[in-house]
Amino acid sequence: MYRTHHCNQLRKSDAGETATLVGWVNTKRDQGGVIFIDIRDREGVTQCVFRSEESAEAADLSQKLRGEDVVQITGKVEIRPELDGESTFNDAIETGEIEIVATELKILNKSEVLPFQLDKELSNEDLRMKHRYLDLRRPRMAKNLRTRHEITKAIRDTLDDQGFLEIETPVLSKSTPEGARDFLVPSRLSPGKFYALPQAPQQYKQLLMVAGVERYFQIARCFRDEDLRADRQPEFTQVDIEASFVTEEDIYATIESMLASVFEKARGVKVPTPFPRITHQEAMDKYGSDKPERRIGCEIVDVSEHFKDSGFGVFKRAIEGGGVVRAINAKGFAGVSTGQIKRLEEIAKEAGAGGLAYIQVRGAAHDTWRSPIVKFFSEAELAAIEKDLNIEEGDLILFGCDKWATVCDVLGRLRLECAEMNNWLEGKEDELDFHWVIDFPLLDYDEEEGKWNAVHHPFTRPHADDVALLDDESKWGEIRGAAYDVVLNGNELGGGSLRIHEGDLQAKMFSVLGISEEEQAENFGHILGAFQYGAPPHAGIALGLDRLVMLACKEDSIREVIAFPKNNKGVDLMSSSPAEVDFKQLRELYVKSTVQEKKD
RNA sequence: GGAGCGGUAGCUCAGUUGGUUAGAGCGCCGGCCUGUCACGCCGGAGGUCGCGGGUUCAAGUCCCGUCCGCUCCGCCA
């Protein structure tokens, strides 16, 4: 037996007992005659006292201890003494009222000096990743791992309670031409052929519905070979859910109860349900995003009607060309600096705007409004926007004029940047704005490729009222999908849809997406076939677990909640993967690299 | 593929107009200390200023190139 208690267990009521603890040397405070060692395990910290009067041998040995040595300490639990009327209790730790008066010390393993200090944040990400096993000893990281466990457990418990079965689907599966780049795995037994790692278990879970499982879930590892970000890793985890004979309402209720349980367990907060719902149209109109951050206000306002006959040609022409003029009022941001305006203009241009029109509202009178464009506005136009945008002294007005979609995107990004520049979220960090975004468009025309793409994915069911529009290509852009996203504070937690369960409708959908009958047979033959044998109506959703845990832990990168993440080039700096392999290994797989050796 | 920021001691960072021997805090090593808990005090070690080239009497500092990291855009059905 290594231990009798863990390091966050002993309390005043244990005084007098003999206890043995194991753990790491957290800190050592050598006072000369008395030495304090804080011993740490995953549960917490306990102070141990070494005095030569108690055990000369243990006291001697304790002098040799260094940080992160692994030790086993035995001694009597005592209430910390009062000295000269002063308490020696330590309020900072939960075991702060007691200490172990050590009589035995065993060094189980010595430690080298760590490459970084565990009690200080470090900014050097390479170093953290290279020694990730040490980085994970830091309390914040240890807590994140534990919270992740609590969250997955809450998810499993909720879904189990509601009759969902956890079923594993293959990791070695088939490449699909649609969507993200696949990771490929060469097959030794089928020379020249490749498996693909799944981007999502989408087709398998629908086939499980055909199989009669009725309620499925999986904490599924998914793979996408795309460029990385703070919230994107090449392998990531989805909470994947599918159910038969259900409506959207059933899915909403399941997810709401699940997320409420997750935040109850992870943060101890009560999340009100049901979540509010807004349509995709409304989200774009007001917030310029399909995952709106609604805590910052600053909604987009359409002012097109005031500028139809404007003296300002840019606005007038935009409207004549079928576009819109819209604006946001960045409250209290009239003091925007030249540099900030430049940055805002860059963002607007990145999103497709020609430039950025703005007004700095220095005073109540219109002649105090500073702006490169305001001289072109009539008094009536100024009065109209003053009313519509609720303009007051100290405000900054930002305009967008172009096609509706472009303007939404531009102003959507600008309002987020203004929030960032002005810390509008200060004091709102704990607010949780869960909501559903519903009625997504089904299809989206890609000008570059000259074809229609699925906004969600090709298995999404068209809205019941819009199915007929599939027969009229001119109406494809108006078809709504029976799809829904769940959003938290401007982050997409997950999305799903009612699925197509009829073979002929699914084939029609593939055709709309420009997938030929041959390609359908080759890539989707199994699912089209399965739909011929009594596929039940079904629906589902998938949530990004890493992102969910990140938000619950108040982290701003998913790397902080993944035990062994990769850097933004997809490299694991600890194990140095990916790595080159022997020619012999490649030969067995009938694979040959075409990479050119770099010349020095 | 593109843009921005960064790389100086083990870690976090400072380093002025190009000018003496490149600094601080923490950590580390040694010594002292019988009630500390961010212990304290004394002493010490520790640097290819990412790498390569250039300008200059002189480069951490200026110029060019390159590598690495982070963030964002593109991309992510």
Side-chain angles (χ1 to χ4, degrees):
Chain A
M1 188 179 64
Y2 273 104
R3 54 156 68 109
T4 59
H5 300 78
H6 64 67
C7 292
N8 194 15
Q9 193 171 357
L10 295 165
R11 298 290 183 270
K12 268 203 286 200
S13 56
D14 298 302
E17 279 188 43
T18 297
T20 301
L21 304 181
V22 285
W24 289 264
V25 173
N26 203 47
T27 52
K28 171 183 161 190
R29 293 177 297 278
D30 184 348
Q31 305 295 307
V34 56
I35 294 164
F36 298 97
I37 301 291
D38 287 347
I39 181 172
R40 181 194 78 236
D41 65 13
R42 67 174 210 179
E43 304 298 330
V45 166
T46 301
Q47 172 169 285
C48 303
V49 196
F50 291 82
R51 283 192 219 94
S52 48
E53 304 92 280
E54 306 291 342
S55 164
E57 197 187 341
D60 266 6
L61 191 56
S62 75
Q63 303 228 8
K64 294 199 170 62
L65 290 176
R66 293 292 181 269
E68 301 304 308
D69 287 345
V70 183
V71 293
Q72 181 181 47
I73 297 171
T74 301
K76 197 193 264 185
V77 182
E78 290 187 6
I79 296 170
R80 294 195 188 188
E82 197 169 282
L83 296 163
D84 303 326
E86 294 279 325
S87 165
T88 57
F89 288 1
N90 180 1
D91 299 337
I93 57 174
E94 289 178 79
T95 58
E97 295 186 340
I98 59 94
E99 59 194 8
I100 304 274
V101 179
T103 49
E104 279 177 58
L105 167 64
K106 198 168 168 188
I107 301 177
L108 300 177
N109 206 353
K110 292 289 291 177
S111 172
E112 293 289 319
V113 175
L114 266 44
F116 48 80
Q117 289 166 253
L118 298 183
D119 58 347
K120 294 208 159 42
E121 289 293 324
L122 69 165
S123 58
N124 189 335
E125 292 259 334
D126 322 18
L127 195 72
R128 290 181 61 195
M129 291 307 163
K130 196 171 170 193
H131 304 277
R132 186 61 158 181
Y133 45 88
L134 299 177
D135 191 46
L136 293 175
R137 283 186 193 171
R138 296 187 301 122
R140 178 167 68 93
M141 298 306 291
K143 183 162 178 283
N144 288 353
L145 288 184
R146 186 175 289 228
T147 301
R148 186 176 178 121
H149 160 77
E150 282 160 0
I151 286 172
T152 51
K153 179 158 192 317
I155 288 168
R156 284 199 165 96
D157 289 348
T158 306
L159 293 173
D160 176 61
D161 285 348
Q162 298 184 20
F164 287 82
L165 306 185
E166 184 168 7
I167 298 173
E168 292 162 88
T169 55
V171 164
L172 295 177
S173 59
K174 188 176 177 180
S175 181
T176 48
E178 302 280 311
R181 221 174 267 121
D182 287 318
F183 280 99
L184 298 176
V185 180
S187 163
R188 180 178 58 84
L189 296 175
S190 303
K193 294 188 177 175
F194 295 81
Y195 300 101
L197 305 183
Q199 297 174 25
Q202 182 63 34
Q203 296 184 46
Y204 289 112
K205 69 174 173 176
Q206 290 193 243
L207 292 167
L208 285 171
M209 295 303 103
V210 181
V213 166
E214 296 200 21
R215 288 178 170 235
Y216 143 95
F217 84 99
Q218 182 179 193
I219 312 280
R221 191 62 59 87
C222 303
F223 306 85
R224 289 177 192 174
D225 187 11
E226 296 292 345
D227 285 5
L228 310 187
R229 285 283 199 290
D231 63 350
R232 233 189 274 164
Q233 285 272 302
E235 55 179 305
F236 60 100
T237 306
Q238 278 191 354
V239 179
D240 196 46
I241 296 172
E242 197 77 10
S244 298
F245 310 121
V246 294
T247 64
E248 296 99 318
E249 298 299 329
D250 298 303
I251 301 287
Y252 298 161
T254 293
I255 296 304
E256 285 164 3
S257 63
M258 189 179 94
L259 289 172
S261 170
V262 162
F263 276 78
E264 167 101 54
K265 297 277 163 35
R267 285 246 206 123
V269 296
K270 194 135 180 61
V271 174
T273 57
F275 300 162
R277 300 171 196 177
I278 62 174
T279 63
H280 180 265
Q281 173 79 31
E282 185 187 355
M284 297 306 294
D285 265 338
K286 284 190 181 169
Y287 310 104
S289 168
D290 59 6
K291 42 178 198 237
E293 169 60 272
R294 307 195 304 170
R295 295 176 299 171
I296 58 177
C298 193
E299 290 181 14
I300 299 168
V301 176
D302 197 299
V303 292
S304 303
E305 60 171 309
H306 307 309
F307 292 99
K308 277 179 195 151
D309 301 307
S310 178
F312 186 43
V314 179
F315 283 5
K316 188 172 180 232
R317 282 192 297 277
I319 296 166
E320 283 169 356
V324 295
V325 178
R326 320 188 97 216
I328 52 172
N329 181 351
K331 280 283 169 196
F333 196 24
V336 60
S337 71
T338 316
Q340 285 172 321
I341 280 288
K342 209 178 139 200
R343 176 76 196 120
L344 292 170
E345 192 172 1
E346 268 174 36
I347 289 168
K349 285 181 175 169
E350 266 174 14
L356 179 61
Y358 63 93
I359 303 172
Q360 289 170 276
V361 182
R362 292 291 175 84
H366 294 168
D367 59 8
T368 64
W369 292 11
R370 281 197 33 182
S371 162
I373 57 160
V374 82
K375 58 181 178 248
F376 301 111
F377 290 2
S378 69
E379 189 54 37
E381 286 164 353
L382 290 172
I385 59 169
E386 179 170 15
K387 178 167 169 292
D388 284 5
L389 287 158
N390 182 30
I391 295 174
E392 296 169 306
E393 186 175 335
D395 293 347
L396 173 70
I397 312 303
L398 300 169
F399 293 91
C401 69
D402 206 311
K403 288 184 312 224
W404 175 81
T406 306
V407 173
C408 289
D409 188 23
V410 168
L411 293 177
R413 293 187 201 206
L414 290 176
R415 67 186 280 280
L416 290 179
E417 183 63 27
C418 288
E420 183 78 16
M421 287 174 169
N422 292 287
N423 290 318
W424 284 345
L425 282 171
E426 207 172 354
K428 296 189 172 183
E429 295 85 353
D430 288 333
E431 277 182 33
L432 298 172
D433 175 37
F434 286 98
H435 57 268
W436 292 99
V437 177
I438 61 171
D439 290 347
F440 274 75
L442 185 72
L443 299 162
D444 180 37
Y445 188 73
D446 187 321
E447 309 253 348
E448 269 179 40
E449 291 182 74
K451 66 185 273 281
W452 290 89
N453 286 326
V455 169
H456 191 54
H457 57 52
F459 310 105
T460 300
R461 188 172 195 79
H463 196 287
D465 300 340
D466 299 349
V467 179
L469 301 180
L470 278 174
D471 294 324
D472 179 357
E473 182 166 358
S474 70
K475 296 280 173 65
W476 285 359
E478 297 169 29
I479 302 173
R480 289 165 299 165
Y484 33 79
D485 277 4
V486 60
V487 176
L488 168 59
N489 296 346
N491 295 277
E492 180 192 331
L493 289 181
S497 61
L498 304 191
R499 320 299 189 191
I500 297 169
H501 60 274
E502 308 93 325
D504 48 354
L505 182 56
Q506 185 65 67
K508 182 185 267 185
M509 188 66 192
F510 283 137
S511 302
V512 166
L513 296 171
I515 301 170
S516 70
E517 283 185 29
E518 295 76 42
E519 288 171 307
Q520 289 180 34
E522 187 183 332
N523 293 314
F524 303 104
H526 53 295
I527 203 159
L528 289 171
F531 284 175
Q532 306 304 318
Y533 299 106
H538 58 286
I541 190 165
L543 280 75
L545 179 67
D546 308 285
R547 204 174 291 172
L548 176 61
V549 178
M550 173 185 90
L551 292 168
C553 291
K554 299 187 188 179
E555 294 288 356
D556 45 22
S557 168
I558 60 171
R559 288 190 295 263
E560 304 299 307
V561 299
I562 295 172
F564 298 104
K566 294 176 173 56
N567 74 3
N568 68 11
K569 291 240 168 63
V571 171
D572 176 350
L573 291 167
M574 189 179 68
S575 68
S576 300
S577 74
E580 288 170 353
V581 295
D582 282 350
F583 171 72
K584 210 179 127 194
Q585 275 179 288
L586 289 177
R587 195 176 51 193
E588 281 185 335
L589 295 166
Y590 305 92
V591 167
K592 190 174 173 183
S593 172
T594 60
V595 169
Q596 305 282 320
E597 291 283 326
K598 268 189 191 167
K599 286 172 194 164
D600 291 330

